[in-house]
Amino acid sequence: MKFYRPKSILHLILLGFSLVALPLIIGLVFATISVDRLVNQSQETLLQSVFITQSSQSLIEAVTAMERNAKQYQVLGDKVLFEVYTEKHSRFVEAANSLDELRLTKSQKKRLKGLRHDENEVYAALSEYPHDAPEITSVLPLFGKLAQTSNLILRENQDLINRGVEQIQGKSGKVQQTLVFQAIALVPAALLLTGLFAVLITRPINQVDQAIRLLGDGKLNDPAVVTGPRDLEQLGERLNWLRNRLLELEQEKSRFLQHISHELKTPLSNIREGAELMHEEVIGELNEPQQEIVNILRDNSLQLQKLIEDLLNFSILRARASQLSCDQVDMKAVIDAVLADHKVALLSRKLELRTSLQAVNLIGDAEKLRILMDNLISNAIKYSPDSSPLWVLLSSRDSRVIIEVADCGPGIPATEHERVFEAFFQGKPASKGHVRGTGLGLSIAREYARAHGGNITVVNSTRAGARLQVVLPLEQSS
């Protein structure tokens, strides 16, 4: 089953905005329609209440005025009074017609019909007979009935208005309850959709960011996996293409290093053999200036040999770092041997060696551990000022071996705590030494530590200088 995938991140954002806004728009439209209906019904009820009240009041006023005029006309027989009565009769008919057009109950319509019938009977008698005729006298008591019926119609109309108001209040409560339930349902739905699209939008961006970080950290074996809009997937494909190109360049660099290292090793061996022969005065006795030049030549050839060995080690490091020749290793003896190899350098720099070495045995590769310690100690010697202390500590704790090497040199900035372990990275140059390093010593040391299941880190120190800590397991896992 294929799901819809937007072509771009912009389409995804617009789609998310539309779907998040859709339930809110639906709720707004429903609320608008409901409130509009309620307002219309309220206005209609209000207008009807006004018309009913006005018509009922007009009806009562007309009955009262007609009764007064009819009695006056009976006594005085003045035609003007009958004309006034006729005018009041017209108002009565108009008010009765207005009430009849409104939505009245059946009982109200029946009473209104009887009211009009009685009034017509009175009006007919007054129109046909003289003012003192007995027929007029007999219909005048009907005005009492008319007044009573008019008041009854008014009270019923007021009850009808009250019921209409109650209905509006009931519908208002229902609308309010519906809007509350709607808000309870739609707001979480909108929040859920917001969260869903936030994940859909940020996930591919985080995947791209993670892929770029892996490339920056040199982890080229992990492919970039980007799922989401098509444009971001294409970006992931380009990152994979870049990763493959970096892998190819890395392999070419390794081949070049291996080739050039082998090419340099043969002439350097000849230089070293010649320097050793001159140093041993095989070709004849040397005077003091000649001996000094030979010593410089010999020392620098040794430094060059170590640089070339670092290049050779690095060229095969990625392929063979995890291939350990494990055996029981006396770590104290390894460190003592490395310190003995650097005794001349320590004496020439007048460095004060401060050691605290516990007797610790672990399972590991003795040669790789020797190279690890040699790189750490030679690096500390190179950056230590003359006549300064240098610390080498060895201890064990919780099935782990902890080694620390610290100096009083310029130290390592916090921004370079991880970069110093990158291949070919060179920090601030050392104040001593004729040959600049390759930037591989700490990188090789970390690779060998990780091959043993451990690690090397730069730790903060209260003293000036750099402090590197090696943590290794006592036993190697299968």
Side-chain angles (χ1 to χ4, degrees):
M1 181 179 179
K2 292 185 177 180
F3 294 95
Y4 170 73
R5 289 190 308 167
K7 294 182 179 180
S8 66
I9 188 68
L10 178 60
H11 289 173
L12 181 60
I13 293 174
L14 292 177
L15 177 63
F17 177 79
S18 300
L19 291 181
V20 169
L22 182 61
L24 299 179
I25 293 175
I26 292 174
L28 181 62
V29 170
F30 178 80
T32 302
I33 293 174
S34 300
V35 173
D36 185 64
R37 288 177 177 174
L38 186 62
V39 169
N40 290 336
Q41 185 177 1
S42 300
Q43 290 178 345
E44 184 179 353
T45 302
L46 178 62
L47 291 175
Q48 185 177 4
S49 301
V50 172
F51 289 150
I52 289 176
T53 304
Q54 288 178 348
S55 299
S56 299
Q57 291 290 349
S58 298
L59 201 66
I60 294 174
E61 291 174 359
V63 169
T64 303
M66 285 191 300
E67 181 181 8
R68 181 175 60 254
N69 292 331
K71 289 181 178 180
Q72 289 175 349
Y73 174 69
Q74 179 193 19
V75 174
L76 301 176
D78 190 351
K79 293 293 183 180
V80 175
L81 294 174
F82 179 74
E83 291 175 359
V84 173
Y85 177 86
T86 302
E87 182 182 349
K88 300 299 182 181
H89 166 75
S90 299
R91 291 184 181 180
F92 173 85
V93 172
E94 183 180 349
N97 291 334
S98 297
L99 282 175
D100 196 26
E101 293 175 356
L102 299 176
R103 292 197 301 269
L104 303 177
T105 62
K106 290 182 178 181
S107 61
Q108 286 178 314
K109 287 185 175 294
K110 184 177 180 180
R111 286 193 179 89
L112 182 61
K113 184 178 180 181
L115 182 67
R116 298 177 70 173
H117 177 269
D118 292 340
E119 195 278 332
N120 285 330
E121 184 178 349
V122 174
Y123 179 72
L126 291 175
S127 300
E128 295 178 6
Y129 299 103
H131 69 93
D132 53 354
E135 286 82 5
I136 293 178
T137 305
S138 64
V139 296
L140 289 180
L142 290 177
F143 279 108
K145 182 180 179 182
L146 290 175
Q148 183 179 3
T149 304
S150 298
N151 287 314
L152 182 59
I153 290 175
L154 176 62
R155 287 195 299 270
E156 288 180 345
N157 287 339
Q158 289 176 346
D159 293 339
L160 182 63
I161 292 172
N162 292 334
R163 286 196 298 271
V165 172
E166 291 175 358
Q167 289 179 357
I168 292 175
Q169 290 177 345
K171 288 185 178 181
S172 175
K174 288 182 179 180
V175 170
Q176 183 179 7
Q177 186 177 12
T178 303
L179 293 179
V180 170
F181 288 154
Q182 178 180 285
I184 293 175
L186 293 181
V187 171
L191 293 177
L192 182 62
L193 288 173
T194 301
L196 175 62
F197 277 93
V199 172
L200 293 176
I201 292 171
T202 58
R203 183 180 63 181
I205 296 176
N206 291 335
Q207 290 173 339
V208 171
D209 178 71
Q210 179 66 18
I212 295 174
R213 288 179 183 273
L214 290 176
L215 291 178
D217 293 338
K219 299 177 181 178
L220 305 179
N221 293 324
D222 299 328
V225 180
V226 180
T227 58
R230 186 57 191 160
D231 56 349
L232 292 184
E233 288 187 349
Q234 291 175 349
L235 179 58
E237 294 171 1
R238 301 303 294 171
L239 289 175
N240 276 324
W241 173 84
L242 177 61
R243 180 183 63 86
N244 292 329
R245 286 292 299 139
L246 291 175
L247 280 173
E248 294 174 3
L249 293 175
E250 188 73 17
Q251 293 171 357
E252 292 176 4
K253 181 180 69 176
S254 297
R255 287 194 295 269
F256 170 77
L257 290 175
Q258 189 173 7
H259 175 75
I260 196 68
S261 299
H262 282 291
E263 292 295 327
L264 291 174
K265 197 170 185 182
T266 300
L268 181 60
S269 297
N270 295 330
I271 294 174
R272 279 207 58 201
E273 290 177 3
E276 289 293 338
L277 290 175
M278 288 188 292
H279 179 71
E280 295 173 0
E281 298 183 347
V282 173
I283 60 175
E285 186 176 354
L286 304 175
N287 57 33
E288 185 174 347
Q290 291 172 334
Q291 186 68 40
E292 183 177 355
I293 293 173
V294 169
N295 288 336
I296 293 173
L297 180 63
R298 179 173 175 269
D299 292 341
N300 281 274
S301 64
L302 288 173
Q303 292 186 39
L304 283 173
Q305 182 183 12
K306 186 172 188 313
L307 295 179
I308 293 174
E309 287 176 352
D310 284 344
L311 289 173
L312 285 171
N313 287 333
F314 181 76
S315 65
I316 61 175
L317 183 63
R318 301 297 174 88
R320 300 183 181 179
S322 60
Q323 299 176 6
L324 302 179
S325 178
C326 293
D327 201 354
Q328 190 81 11
V329 179
D330 184 351
M331 202 62 212
K332 182 177 182 299
V334 170
I335 295 176
D336 286 336
V338 172
L339 291 174
D341 292 339
H342 291 279
K343 186 175 182 180
V344 175
L346 291 169
L347 292 175
S348 65
R349 302 283 300 280
K350 298 180 182 180
L351 299 178
E352 180 186 351
L353 183 63
R354 300 180 182 179
T355 61
S356 176
L357 307 177
Q358 296 181 6
V360 178
N361 292 331
L362 57 87
I363 302 298
D365 189 317
E367 178 60 21
K368 287 185 171 63
L369 291 175
R370 184 196 68 78
I371 295 174
L372 185 157
M373 291 306 306
D374 183 77
N375 289 345
L376 291 181
I377 292 174
S378 62
N379 192 73
I381 293 173
K382 181 169 64 175
Y383 285 95
S384 292
D386 292 345
S387 303
S388 65
L390 188 150
W391 291 268
V392 180
L393 311 176
L394 171 64
S395 62
S396 63
R397 183 170 67 247
D398 300 330
S399 300
R400 295 180 301 168
V401 178
I402 300 175
I403 305 169
E404 290 189 3
V405 178
D407 58 60
C408 293
I412 302 173
T415 56
E416 297 181 358
H417 279 189
E418 284 298 321
R419 295 196 64 196
V420 293
F421 298 105
E422 297 177 2
F424 303 104
F425 176 80
Q426 295 180 336
K428 183 179 178 181
S431 59
K432 300 289 184 180
H434 302 287
V435 181
R436 186 175 173 87
T438 60
L440 293 174
L442 293 181
S443 177
I444 293 172
R446 172 173 271 191
E447 291 294 337
Y448 284 162
R450 288 180 172 176
H452 284 80
N455 198 13
I456 300 180
T457 56
V458 179
V459 296
N460 295 323
S461 175
T462 56
R463 297 186 296 266
R467 180 183 176 189
L468 279 73
Q469 184 182 79
V470 184
V471 179
L472 301 171
L474 287 174
E475 299 288 340
Q476 293 295 314
S477 63
S478 58

